[in-house]
């Protein structure tokens, strides 16, 4: 396996350090997502950044997940999307206030309309910039499990997202982007995405039914995401693993048991990594060489989740823990990961707090 190059690098920065970097030019930053609770808007001129209201569960008060690239990068703004692009990669983000969404009386839920409009704007931008495919979407909005308009808000989101894929002639099965969709504490619909000119491959998990084929008990439209996306950029294989939960087949397992759910998430991630390695001989992805982001429904579960993660993967692990609502009410934890790019420094992973 080639050592990760400078084509893509992930780092977690305290806000003050990011702002200092941005003031000094930060030519290699593509942008990213800052997590706080309560939320504080972060403005770094030219840098696409989301400020998401999610509490960090250990260490810092606030952290920014920042993606870096190389070469000449240029920033722009299009249809409410802030973006920054280079030769190979484009990172963009947007926030939509669903309360301001104009929907005819009795028509679809505002979140559905906001989601469709957001995704259509993303696809328009990508078409205009010559970036074919999205590698990864990060979706955050409040009240994921709340019902309005006779529908859980996560299901409203799924309808709007799928409509946008269809209206732009994009497939809603097979090579769809990797993604996650988590409940923030407050704010609008917030979407960040990483796109490439090259076509990625969607990876599925043999232990799970593809999400885009979920039966309709999980909502009128299936979620449009693949379990992971894999792309070769500049001779390097990059892997983006979607939010991964304690789901086998299409069913939630271990309701009420956060430790067992964490282990099931990790078995699923291990299966996705094995599948990615099978599809790309020589890539050699390993659980110990990924950067993890862990979303936990109840903050007091962080100690258990962290212990299970370290037991499964071995210390030290690069992991960040956030308080978030997961998109099925019975899911207590969701874990995402990525690899093949340069990783943040390994976080302290001793006996735990
Ligand atoms: C699941 O596997 C858990 O709707 O974009 C994970 C990753 C989940 C992405 C999404 C949802 C999404 O169904 C939930």
């Amino acid at each position: 396996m080639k050592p990760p190059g400078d084509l893509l690098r992930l780092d977690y920065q305290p806000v003050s350090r990011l702002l200092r970097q941005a003031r000094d030019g930060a030519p290699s930053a593509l942008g990213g997502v800052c997590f706080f609770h309560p939320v504080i808007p972060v403005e770094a001129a030219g840098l696409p950044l989301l400020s998401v209201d999610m509490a960090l569960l250990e260490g810092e008060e606030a952290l920014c997940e920042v993606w870096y690239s190389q070469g000449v990068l240029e920033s722009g703004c299009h249809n409410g999307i802030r973006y920054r692009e280079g030769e190979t990669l484009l990172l963009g983000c947007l926030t939509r206030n669903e309360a301001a969404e104009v929907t005819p009386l009795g028509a679809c839920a505002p979140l559905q309309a906001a989601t469709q409009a957001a995704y259509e704007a993303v696809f328009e931008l990508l078409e205009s910039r010559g970036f074919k495919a999205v590698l990864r979407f990060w979706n955050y909005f409040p009240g994921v499990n709340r019902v309005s308009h006779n529908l859980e808000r996560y299901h409203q989101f799924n309808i709007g997202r799928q409509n946008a894929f269809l209206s732009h002639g994009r497939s809603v099965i097979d090579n769809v982007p990797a993604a996650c969709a988590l409940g923030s504490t407050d704010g609008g619909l917030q979407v960040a995405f990483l796109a490439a000119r090259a076509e990625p491959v969607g990876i599925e998990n043999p232990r799970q039914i593809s999400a885009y084929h979920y039966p309709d008990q999980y909502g009128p439209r299936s979620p449009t995401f693949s379990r992971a996306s894999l792309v070769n950029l500049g001779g390097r294989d990059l892997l983006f693993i979607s939010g991964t939960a304690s789901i086998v087949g299409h069913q939630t397992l271990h309701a009420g048991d956060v430790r067992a759910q964490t282990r099931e998430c990790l078995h699923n991630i291990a299966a996705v990594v094995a599948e990615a390695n099978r599809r790309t001989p020589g890539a050699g992805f390993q659980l110990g060489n990924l950067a993890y982001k862990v979303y936990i429904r109840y903050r007091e579960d962080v100690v258990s989740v962290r212990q299970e993660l370290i037991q499964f993967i071995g210390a030290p692990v690069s992991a960040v823990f956030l308080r978030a609502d997961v998109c099925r009410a019975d899911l207590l934890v969701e874990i995402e990961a990525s690899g093949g790019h340069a990783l943040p420094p390994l976080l302290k992973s001793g006996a735990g707090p």
Side-chain angles (χ1 to χ4, degrees), residues 139 154 158 161 179-181 214 223 225 227 242-243 245 247 327 334:
N139 301 290
Y154 174 58
N158 278 323
R161 173 169 56 180
C180 62
Y214 277 168
F225 72 93
R227 299 302 178 184
S242 291
I247 295 173
C327 66
E334 182 173 307

Side-chain angles (χ1 to χ4, degrees), residues 115-232:
T115 306
Q116 183 168 345
Y119 272 75
E120 286 180 345
V122 171
F123 295 145
E124 273 160 36
L125 167 71
L126 296 180
E127 285 153 23
S128 75
R129 306 305 306 165
F131 282 81
K132 274 211 193 87
V134 179
L135 307 174
R136 181 62 156 98
F137 275 111
W138 292 267
N139 301 290
Y140 302 112
F141 55 95
V144 256
N145 306 124
R146 204 165 67 220
V147 175
S148 83
H149 302 71
N150 289 317
L151 211 53
E152 222 176 292
R153 280 164 56 78
Y154 174 58
H155 300 163
Q156 299 170 8
F157 166 85
N158 278 323
I159 300 172
R161 173 169 56 180
Q162 196 190 81
N163 280 344
F165 274 79
L166 293 171
S167 74
H168 277 256
R170 292 180 174 245
S171 173
V172 294
I173 58 165
D174 298 329
N175 290 325
V176 289
C180 62
L182 282 304
S184 53
T185 304
D186 199 6
L189 168 69
Q190 297 181 294
V191 179
F193 58 96
L194 190 60
R197 292 187 204 277
E199 204 71 69
V201 173
I203 301 288
E204 292 302 306
N205 178 350
R207 304 178 82 232
Q208 297 182 309
I209 290 180
S210 296
Y212 46 74
H213 289 320
Y214 277 168
D216 60 13
Q217 71 195 85
Y218 302 105
R221 299 285 193 83
S222 300
T224 308
F225 72 93
S226 57
R227 299 302 178 184
S229 70
L230 180 62
V231 70
N232 186 282

Side-chain angles (χ1 to χ4, degrees), residues 87 93 185-186 211 258 296:
E87 269 294 298
C93 66
T185 304
D186 199 6
V258 75
I296 302 175

Side-chain angles (χ1 to χ4, degrees), residues 256-279:
D257 183 345
V258 75
R259 285 185 178 269
Q261 285 202 11
T262 305
R263 291 191 294 270
E264 205 67 64
C265 292
L266 294 165
H267 281 296
N268 279 329
I269 288 177
V272 170
V273 167
E275 194 60 15
N277 286 331
R278 193 180 65 79
R279 296 285 293 268

